[in-house]
């Protein structure tokens, strides 16, 4: 009996050994030695960073969200405990990297010159812009004030520009460090979400109003021009009715930005149709 007990203890000891320490999630605990000033800097300063990784960090719970880059080569994943991982590649050659923020409700990413640019909107609406380098290190370049929440942010190809929508219905073309390059905010222009075409030259600003189970909306096309860092209104507004809802999975925009489709409720004149998908040019 003593021999079996000793063998079990030795097996447990060797099973727990690792070759290198895993990077620690900065939000998993608080260092009691930190002063209030240091904690304040972590919250509102340049943002948390992670040094070069020693190895990948797996999720600690079930994954409930996955977002791919537009080229399909990279991904971000979130688990049910709020942990976020960055996947530099999806071919199995790179392990997932720990993100130094938790609980993001929306995120986007694109390849940059030295790695990837990542945009994440946290639980209070603050926008975090981070760069993940090829050596596995990660640095936060910008964090917006939670007093003006961000609703949506999309990183454009190249990683140097983002399209950002704030809660006060302001659309911005923004640089990596949070500098607005172009701003669109006009009277009676109140989008609450947007869709970006595959070629990233057209943006559809969507203003919606819920009417029971249905929604009505207004679509406003804008052009995105990175040559002069501009957002411009183009074409006329289009009113749409009888939308099932405004969830992104029920909306679609063609790669060239010329056609918009949504899932709608069938109307009395088309009761034989269980679903209506309407297309606009």
């Amino acid at each position: 009996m003593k021999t079996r007990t000793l063998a079990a203890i030795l097996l447990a000891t060797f099973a727990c050994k690792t070759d290198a320490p895993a990077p620690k999630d900065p939000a998993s605990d608080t260092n009691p030695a930190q002063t209030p000033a240091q904690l304040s800097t972590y919250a509102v300063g340049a943002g948390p960073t992670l040094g070069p990784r020693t190895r990948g960090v797996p999720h600690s719970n079930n994954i409930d969200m996955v977002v791919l880059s537009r080229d399909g080569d990279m991904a971000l994943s979130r688990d049910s405990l709020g942990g976020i991982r960055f996947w530099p590649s999806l071919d199995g050659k790179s392990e997932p990297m720990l993100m130094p923020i938790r609980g993001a409700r929306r995120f986007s990413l694109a390849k940059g010159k030295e790695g990837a640019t990542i945009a994440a909107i946290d639980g209070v609406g603050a926008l975090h812009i981070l760069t993940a380098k090829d050596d596995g290190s990660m640095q936060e370049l910008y964090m917006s004030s939670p007093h003006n929440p961000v609703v949506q942010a999309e990183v454009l190809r190249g990683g140097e520009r983002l399209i950002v929508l704030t809660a006060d219905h302001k659309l911005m073309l923004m640089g990596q460090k949070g500098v607005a390059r172009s701003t669109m905010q006009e009277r009676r222009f109140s989008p609450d979400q947007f869709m970006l075409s595959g070629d990233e030259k057209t943006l559809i600003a969507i203003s919606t109003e819920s009417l029971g189970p249905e929604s009505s909306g207004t679509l406003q096309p804008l052009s995105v021009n990175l040559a002069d860092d501009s957002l411009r209104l183009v074409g006329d507004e289009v009113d749409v009715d009888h939308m099932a809802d405004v969830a992104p999975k029920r909306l679609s925009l063609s790669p060239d930005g010329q056609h918009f489709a949504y899932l709608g409720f069938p109307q009395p004149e088309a009761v034989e149709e269980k679903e209506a998908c309407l297309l606009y040019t």
Side-chain angles (χ1 to χ4, degrees), residues 60-82:
S60 55
N61 212 296
N62 295 331
I63 295 174
D64 62 6
M65 180 187 290
V66 176
V67 172
L68 298 175
S69 60
R70 285 180 174 269
D71 56 17
D73 290 339
M74 304 182 299
L76 289 164
S77 57
R78 185 190 69 189
D79 61 44
S80 57
L81 295 179

Side-chain angles (χ1 to χ4, degrees), residues 234-248:
V234 293
D236 298 324
E237 290 185 349
V238 176
D239 293 325
V240 292
D241 297 313
H242 314 301
M243 300 172 72
D245 60 35
V246 291

Side-chain angles (χ1 to χ4, degrees), residues 34-50:
Q34 285 183 306
T35 65
Q38 288 174 315
L39 292 174
S40 176
T41 299
Y42 178 88
V44 300
T49 62
L50 291 175

